[in-house]
Amino acid sequence: MELKRVVVTGVGALTPIGNTAPDFWAGLLEGRSGAAPITFFDTEKFKTTFACEVKGFEPADFIDRKEARRMDRCTQLGIVAADEAIADARLDMESLNADRVGVIWGSGIGGLDTFLHECIDFGRGDGTPRFSPFFIPKMIADITGGQISMKYGMRGMNFTTVSACASSTNALIDALMYLRLGKADVIISGGSEAAVSEGGIGGFNAMHALSTRNDDPQTASRPFDKDRDGFVLGEGAACLVLEELEHAKARGAKIYAEFVGGGLSADAYHLTAPHPEGLGAKNVMLNMLSDAGMQPEEVDYVNVHGTSTPLGDVAELKAIQLVFGEHAYRMNISSTKSMTGHLLGAAGAAEALVAVFAVKHDIIPPTINHFTDDPEIDQKLNMTYGAPQKRTVHAAFSNTFGFGGHNASVLFKKYVE
């Protein structure tokens, strides 16, 4: 069968460096760091005392106060990002076939804070099971997609993908496939995560995964720098309205970019460490290019997973060089996690949005916080250190890799009739 074309017609974001999609993009181009001392809880006894929190966000400004109390912060962030994207796309549900509008969301953990504090409260009691009736609906990872669909009356497919840090990239790829097959006209897709809590910081500290550069949080996320010492935990949400091309054209929608390919693979190697030669990363990028029907030479920019971990950064660049060969030196490469921190399950959607904006605006956002070259990294690669670079971006993609060896990549290009 002939597959349908899919385009991006709306975007939304709520991040540590900007509370709307345009502000997020402006923050990236300014090289703004979202890292700061944690305000959500007392960090005195924690190895890491900073994170990339969303700033100035009051749920009651966007969500009915009573309803907001029934949502974990993960869902609150997701709802607001989806609201922005739906408004940006000018979707009018009264004029659409609601049975053909779906929601496919991603979250690696879901309501971690709700789960943690309900259990703490139970443990402090006398053993009597006094739990909130909203404990389970607030905590489960799928609930954000359900809340979005209920708010707007979207009756198409509705589910949430969970693949650690690749979760929302998986969601975008699933949405691409359903739209290509003609199973929906529009799908709201993205991800949200809110794990800056005692459990999130303490758990990742126990794994020695987080930076402990407490004396200088703003420079702690330093992908590809010789002295990187782990990632910075972030929170946030991002949403893309994905639409079948002819449906978008029929309603006069603006088009940011065409969504042309997605790839999936598994490392099948280690619980948390990447394959040392980047085998899974290589395969996922090859699968993405094959799905898009594109050659490596057609790609101008990659927003890398680039978490600022000693092993992961090197393995990903090895994989890029294996896939792109000499063309790797002509591409721009950057890690926006140097600014946002790691948004976990929301990272894929946020970084896919970066790829979309790079294609739309012909600007590459930088990798900040580079101080010392790593001898294990080929310094001839264009890592876009320090400042944005203007260039024509015909096509851009983003990589996301999750604990468990889950790999996902998505590719966007300029829309041409």
Side-chain angles (χ1 to χ4, degrees):
M1 64 179 293
E2 183 178 352
L3 297 178
K4 297 179 181 296
R5 295 169 67 184
V6 178
V7 292
V8 180
T9 58
V11 296
L14 186 52
T15 77
I17 62 170
N19 289 13
T20 66
D23 287 347
F24 171 47
W25 182 240
L28 293 175
L29 298 184
E30 291 169 13
R32 187 187 308 158
S33 171
I38 290 169
T39 65
F40 294 161
F41 62 93
D42 183 356
T43 61
E44 182 181 358
K45 296 182 179 180
F46 286 78
K47 294 177 182 177
T48 296
T49 63
F50 63 94
C52 288
E53 299 174 349
V54 171
K55 300 159 187 70
F57 171 63
E58 294 294 337
D61 292 343
F62 303 93
I63 305 167
D64 176 80
R65 193 176 299 274
K66 183 178 179 181
E67 289 300 312
R69 286 199 299 269
R70 298 175 177 179
M71 298 177 186
D72 185 87
R73 185 175 174 89
C74 176
T75 296
Q76 295 169 354
L77 297 173
I79 288 277
V80 172
D83 286 346
E84 182 190 359
I86 291 165
D88 183 48
R90 295 185 175 89
L91 289 183
D92 176 10
M93 289 304 299
E94 292 187 3
S95 65
L96 301 179
N97 181 350
D99 296 337
R100 292 184 56 81
V101 180
V103 183
I104 303 179
W105 208 250
S107 185
I109 303 175
L112 177 63
D113 194 61
T114 293
F115 184 86
L116 175 69
H117 287 100
E118 287 282 341
C119 291
I120 288 172
D121 290 346
F122 174 68
R124 287 173 174 165
D126 60 5
T128 303
R130 296 187 180 93
F131 291 95
S132 165
F134 297 103
F135 172 26
I136 301 302
K138 286 175 68 175
M139 177 269 295
I140 50 179
D142 69 293
I143 202 66
T144 303
Q147 291 277 16
I148 294 167
S149 70
M150 287 184 281
K151 180 172 183 176
Y152 290 97
M154 298 167 173
R155 296 193 298 267
M157 69 283 294
N158 188 290
F159 60 91
T160 292
T161 55
V162 178
S163 49
C165 307
S167 296
S168 54
T169 310
N170 272 121
L172 293 170
I173 293 171
D174 280 359
L176 171 66
M177 299 306 177
Y178 278 109
L179 288 162
R180 278 177 168 174
L181 293 171
K183 303 295 185 181
D185 298 325
V186 181
I187 299 179
I188 312 305
S189 189
S192 53
E193 204 80 272
V196 181
S197 68
E198 297 94 328
I201 295 292
F204 283 117
N205 269 159
M207 296 172 60
H208 304 286
L210 295 182
S211 171
T212 56
R213 206 177 296 276
N214 296 317
D215 58 337
D216 193 7
Q218 291 201 329
T219 70
S221 183
R222 48 179 73 184
F224 313 113
D225 187 88
K226 179 179 179 293
D227 298 318
R228 62 193 182 276
D229 70 329
F231 70 83
V232 177
L233 186 60
E235 61 165 0
C239 180
L240 279 66
V241 175
L242 302 177
E243 193 164 353
E244 190 273 320
L245 174 60
E246 296 305 320
H247 186 272
K249 288 166 62 177
R251 68 178 191 87
K254 68 175 179 292
I255 294 174
Y256 283 92
E258 184 171 0
F259 189 0
V260 291
L264 300 168
S265 77
D267 279 3
Y269 172 74
H270 189 272
L271 192 66
T272 58
H275 191 283
E277 299 303 317
L279 181 60
K282 181 191 80 169
N283 288 341
V284 78
M285 288 183 277
L286 289 172
N287 292 341
M288 173 196 69
L289 289 168
S290 175
D291 185 57
M294 291 177 63
Q295 298 301 312
E297 295 76 19
E298 296 179 79
V299 177
D300 302 297
Y301 168 55
V302 50
N303 186 292
V304 290
H305 188 56
T307 56
S308 185
T309 56
L311 297 177
D313 290 5
V314 172
E316 184 173 10
L317 292 182
K318 284 181 179 179
I320 288 171
Q321 290 182 280
L322 286 171
V323 172
F324 291 90
E326 286 299 310
H327 183 65
Y329 299 106
R330 294 187 287 273
M331 296 164 51
N332 275 79
I333 300 168
S334 74
S335 171
T336 48
K337 287 187 180 73
S338 59
M339 294 171 273
T340 66
H342 194 344
L343 306 189
L344 304 182
E351 291 158 18
L353 176 53
V354 175
V356 168
F357 275 159
V359 167
K360 177 70 173 175
H361 299 296
D362 290 322
I363 306 175
I364 310 296
T367 304
I368 68 167
N369 297 333
H370 182 76
F371 304 100
T372 308
D373 291 344
D374 184 340
E376 292 192 59
I377 291 174
D378 188 340
Q379 299 304 318
K380 291 183 291 184
L381 294 169
N382 184 357
M383 306 302 297
T384 324
Y385 289 135
Q389 294 179 16
K390 293 184 177 181
R391 66 174 290 174
T392 301
V393 183
H394 297 289
F397 73 98
S398 63
N399 285 332
T400 44
F401 311 137
F403 285 169
H406 310 291
N407 306 309
S409 302
V410 286
L411 177 60
F412 302 88
K413 71 178 186 181
K414 287 191 185 301
Y415 166 66
V416 179
E417 284 279 0

